Amino acid sequence: MNILLLGSGGREHALAWKLAQSPSVEKFYASPGNPGIAEHAICVNLDVSDHGSVILFCARNDIDMVVVGPEAPLVDGLAESLRMAEIFVFGPDKAPAQLEGSKGFTKDLCARADIPTAGYVRTTNQAEALAALDKFSIPVVIKADGLAAGKGVIIAETREQAEDAIAMMFDGGFGDAGAEVVIEEFLTGEEASFFAITDGKNVLPFGSAQDHKRVGEGDTGPNTGGMGAYSPAPVLTPALQKQVMDQIIQPTVDTLAAEGTPYSGVLFAGLMLTDTGPQLIEYNARFGDPECQVLMMRLQSDLAAIMLATAKGELDQISAPEFDQQSALTVVMAAKGYPATPEKGGKIRNLSGAESEGVKIFHAGTAEDDGALIANGGRVLNVTALGSNTTEAQGKAYAAVDKIDFETGFCRRDIGWREVAREAEG
């Protein structure tokens, strides 16, 4: 089959790398892609906000399936437009994509479906939000309702911080994403990510991971899109995963289907493992970044076949995805200044020398300039490794990091620290 992959980051490079391994894939296009994706697909420039032009490209190039990598085109309804044009697509329609597009939408769905999640209030102006604060103890979580590139969440340790966060959001600190603000109860526990794929009716688990959002070691500093991740997440035991499927994922799928907005694609649940059980923090309507990279390193099944079965509504006709029992860990190399103002243009050398058996480097924010590879974004590379456990995967990933010549880059040196500590304790 012929595939069009949309996106340009490390997540999309990982998807391209795995899709290219499928024997069923013939012509493979990506838009806009990046230098790493270009090793697997023909890169083209399409305006994903112009649904008609994407559909026309698909018609002219006999595209059988479109894989939508990032969240913005999904929330914009691109998948729905493609389905109306009778093109198979991996990703949800506009209405169910609001699971990521609106945090308030997700919280209201949790209330309707009795899905365990933190207590919350949706607010539409600053005065309303400040009044609602009185219902919460400190610390408290302040969230911009809309898409904010993974950075629209502030954990306020004092009342003053909470008020400042509310003022900043309603003053446009996150653009239109802060037009509405959700205030949430602060949950304590360990965070983990769980993935499932669904065709709107059938649901299959798709692995677990843990990521590191803070820019600094020891999980300090401002939030980012993610500085590293590892998979699987052993804290999500088989019993807990069943609980997540039964109490969170399946009720979500069933509720959306019953309300006439069935969800098709990957469901990425951000969880807090509390003393009373897993609770949903948020949903994403696409694979995580950098969680996707570690999942793809471990996936042994045919990704193209899984995605096509999802798009066709035929997940009940395939086996559950199989994963390598080894651990995978990815370290994000970012450009200096990230997540504020990253320094672009820094040269990157010796990627081929850093890769080896079980080590893969995915391009995130890279570009080519006169034949040289340069940094062209905040998160630039995802150095990913397999190992017998998290500790071994971590060692291999950092050994590869140390071989890369990227003077204007930096990374955290403690990715996977929780699991490495647990492994050391035996």
Side-chain angles (χ1 to χ4, degrees):
M1 61 177 153
N2 300 336
I3 291 179
L4 170 63
L5 169 67
L6 301 179
S8 63
R11 166 184 51 224
E12 287 78 30
H13 187 187
L15 292 173
W17 174 72
K18 185 57 66 172
L19 284 168
Q21 297 172 26
S22 172
S24 65
V25 175
E26 296 178 17
K27 290 184 180 178
F28 187 11
Y29 298 91
S31 176
N34 64 36
I37 293 171
E39 297 175 5
H40 311 290
I42 301 167
C43 292
V44 296
N45 285 314
L46 298 173
D47 179 1
V48 295
S49 66
D50 183 348
H51 298 185
S53 70
V54 178
I55 291 168
L56 183 60
F57 177 87
C58 292
R60 287 177 172 173
N61 292 278
D62 298 321
I63 299 298
D64 298 294
M65 179 173 64
V66 177
V67 177
V68 185
E71 62 275 16
L74 296 170
V75 174
D76 186 46
L78 177 59
E80 195 163 350
S81 296
L82 289 164
R83 287 191 175 95
M84 290 176 66
E86 300 184 341
I87 299 166
F88 290 122
V89 57
F90 185 86
D93 285 347
K94 182 173 185 175
Q98 291 305 304
L99 283 178
E100 178 162 7
S102 167
K103 295 176 179 65
F105 174 92
T106 297
K107 300 297 285 191
D108 288 351
L109 181 141
C110 288
R112 296 195 303 277
D114 197 26
I115 292 169
T117 190
Y120 74 104
V121 172
R122 295 180 72 169
T123 64
T124 56
N125 60 69
Q126 188 170 338
E128 183 182 26
L130 292 174
L133 265 182
D134 294 333
K135 302 178 182 179
F136 295 86
S137 58
I138 300 295
V140 64
V141 183
I142 313 297
K143 294 182 175 181
D145 180 71
L147 298 179
K151 301 168 190 173
V153 179
I154 294 175
I155 299 172
E157 302 286 350
T158 66
R159 171 82 183 207
E160 183 180 13
Q161 287 179 6
E163 292 177 353
D164 288 347
I166 288 168
M168 177 272 290
M169 290 183 188
F170 280 115
D171 285 344
F174 292 117
D176 293 342
E180 184 173 327
V181 170
V182 176
I183 303 173
E184 276 190 20
E185 168 194 11
F186 177 77
L187 297 176
T188 58
E190 190 165 343
E191 289 189 45
S193 300
F194 183 79
F195 299 82
I197 49 172
T198 176
D199 57 13
K201 179 180 179 181
N202 306 289
V203 187
L204 293 174
F206 202 87
S208 65
Q210 285 187 288
D211 76 334
H212 299 262
K213 289 291 188 198
R214 302 281 188 169
V215 72
E217 292 174 15
D219 295 323
T220 58
N223 271 332
T224 71
M227 294 300 293
Y230 59 94
S231 174
V235 292
L236 266 176
T237 63
L240 284 177
Q241 291 189 41
K242 184 178 187 306
Q243 194 174 345
V244 171
M245 285 288 286
D246 292 345
Q247 297 180 8
I248 297 176
I249 303 294
Q250 193 68 56
T252 299
V253 173
D254 291 346
T255 300
L256 288 171
E259 294 176 353
T261 55
Y263 187 104
S264 176
V266 61
L267 262 179
F268 165 13
L271 307 169
M272 184 67 78
L273 306 182
T274 72
D275 290 340
T276 58
Q279 295 203 42
L280 181 70
I281 300 173
E282 64 181 8
Y283 269 129
N284 291 307
R286 38 70 191 178
F287 284 107
D289 188 349
E291 294 93 342
C292 183
Q293 290 82 315
V294 287
L295 288 172
M296 293 304 115
M297 281 291 282
R298 295 183 55 235
L299 180 64
Q300 295 179 317
S301 303
D302 185 328
L303 179 63
I306 293 169
M307 287 182 162
L308 187 61
T310 304
K312 287 184 171 182
E314 298 175 352
L315 270 184
D316 57 336
Q317 298 180 28
I318 67 169
S319 301
E322 295 183 5
F323 291 87
D324 195 314
Q325 292 304 302
Q326 294 189 92
S327 297
L329 183 142
T330 190
V331 176
V332 171
M333 297 192 75
K336 288 179 180 178
Y338 179 76
T341 306
E343 182 178 332
K344 295 186 178 182
K347 290 188 177 181
I348 304 164
R349 305 178 182 89
N350 199 38
L351 292 191
S352 59
E355 288 191 337
S356 61
E357 182 68 28
V359 177
K360 177 66 181 174
I361 299 170
F362 296 111
H363 293 231
T366 65
E368 287 187 348
D369 182 28
D370 288 334
L373 189 68
I374 61 169
N376 191 44
R379 295 184 296 167
V380 180
L381 301 170
N382 308 134
V383 185
T384 314
L386 283 172
S388 59
N389 57 19
T390 307
T391 303
E392 184 180 15
Q394 183 197 59
K396 290 172 67 175
Y398 281 114
V401 165
D402 292 338
K403 294 176 183 177
I404 298 170
D405 181 0
F406 180 20
E407 290 185 7
T408 61
F410 76 96
C411 68
R412 282 182 54 168
R413 305 293 304 195
D414 64 345
I415 300 302
W417 66 268
R418 288 185 185 85
E419 194 55 35
V420 169
R422 283 190 281 259
E423 291 173 358
E425 292 172 0

